[in-house]
């Protein structure tokens, strides 16, 4: 159970960081249309309890009667999505906890002085060099801090582990303690 909890925590932290940091970068440092909508999408999972999210994904991606699998079999494709698995837990927890990295990285990117990037581009730095030498090092404390926070929150999450993990045979520390 300890090993499963650690793997779920690491995997869901990676998923949450990838989603949250990408959305934060798009909302804070680019000129893409719909930046306010991206911000809303980034914080939307905060308004949904983990239990409701786990139950919703169980209805959507259950192996036998999940709506996604029913649609896939109706159009002639095999229903292959099984949310009751190790990967399903990581996916749900990663989506559910993506707002934490989003908010932390978005605030770090918003508070960063754009004159540093302007100076680098004036001196001929390419975009990749500017990002790797200026932007990412300034944001790295927020990324690391949010990664630690998401890891701690996912390891102690009980509702997703109970609704998704137990039927899939994935035992974590919260479910072991409950039992």
């Amino acid at each position: 159970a300890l090993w499963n909890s650690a793997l779920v925590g690491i995997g869901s932290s990676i998923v949450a960081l990838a989603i949250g940091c990408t959305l934060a970068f798009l909302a804070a440092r680019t000129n893409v249309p719909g930046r306010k909508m991206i911000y809303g999408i980034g914080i939307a999972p905060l308004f949904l309890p983990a239990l409701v999210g786990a139950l919703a994904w169980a209805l959507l991606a259950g192996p036998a009667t999940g709506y996604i699998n029913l649609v896939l079999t109706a159009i002639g494709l095999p229903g292959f999505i099984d949310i009751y698995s190790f990967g399903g837990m990581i996916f749900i927890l990663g989506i559910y906890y993506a707002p934490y990295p989003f908010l932390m990285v978005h605030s770090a990117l918003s508070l960063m002085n754009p004159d540093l990037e302007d100076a680098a581009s004036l001196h001929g730095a390419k975009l990749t060099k500017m990002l790797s030498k200026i932007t990412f090092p300034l944001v790295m404390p927020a990324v690391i801090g949010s990664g630690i926070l998401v890891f701690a929150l996912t390891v102690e999450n009980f509702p997703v582990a109970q609704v998704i993990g137990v039927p899939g045979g994935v035992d974590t520390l919260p479910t072991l303690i409950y039992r």
Side-chain angles (χ1 to χ4, degrees):
L2 179 64
W3 181 248
N4 286 342
S5 293
L7 289 177
V8 166
I10 291 169
S12 57
S13 296
I14 291 170
V15 171
L17 284 171
I19 294 169
C21 292
T22 302
L23 290 176
F25 184 78
L26 289 174
R29 300 308 269 177
T30 63
N31 292 329
V32 296
R35 286 173 44 191
K36 291 186 183 195
M37 188 174 77
I38 292 172
Y39 189 86
I41 291 169
I43 63 169
L46 285 175
F47 305 115
L48 186 70
L51 178 62
V52 174
L55 290 172
W57 277 104
L59 288 173
L60 281 173
T65 59
Y67 293 130
I68 296 173
N69 286 327
L70 291 176
V71 168
L72 288 175
T73 54
I75 61 173
L77 297 172
F80 59 88
I81 298 174
D82 184 10
I83 202 71
Y84 298 118
S85 63
F86 207 72
M89 278 183 61
I90 289 172
F91 173 73
I92 292 171
L93 288 168
I95 288 176
Y96 181 72
Y97 287 112
Y100 296 99
F102 172 78
L103 288 172
M104 293 176 79
V105 172
H106 185 274
S107 65
L109 287 168
S110 297
L111 293 173
M112 189 173 69
N113 190 356
D115 292 341
L116 298 170
E117 293 173 335
D118 292 339
S121 64
L122 283 174
H123 284 87
K126 294 181 182 176
L127 179 64
T128 55
K129 183 136 183 145
M130 182 177 57
L131 289 174
S132 67
K133 296 291 182 182
I134 296 170
T135 306
F136 293 151
L138 289 172
V139 177
M140 197 53 65
V143 172
I144 293 171
S146 63
I148 293 169
L149 175 67
V150 169
F151 177 80
L153 290 172
T154 55
V155 167
E156 63 90 22
N157 186 287
F158 176 72
V160 174
Q162 183 67 22
V163 172
I164 302 298
V166 170
V170 180
D171 214 11
T172 60
L173 283 176
T175 57
L176 183 68
I177 291 169
Y178 176 74
R179 239 184 311 114

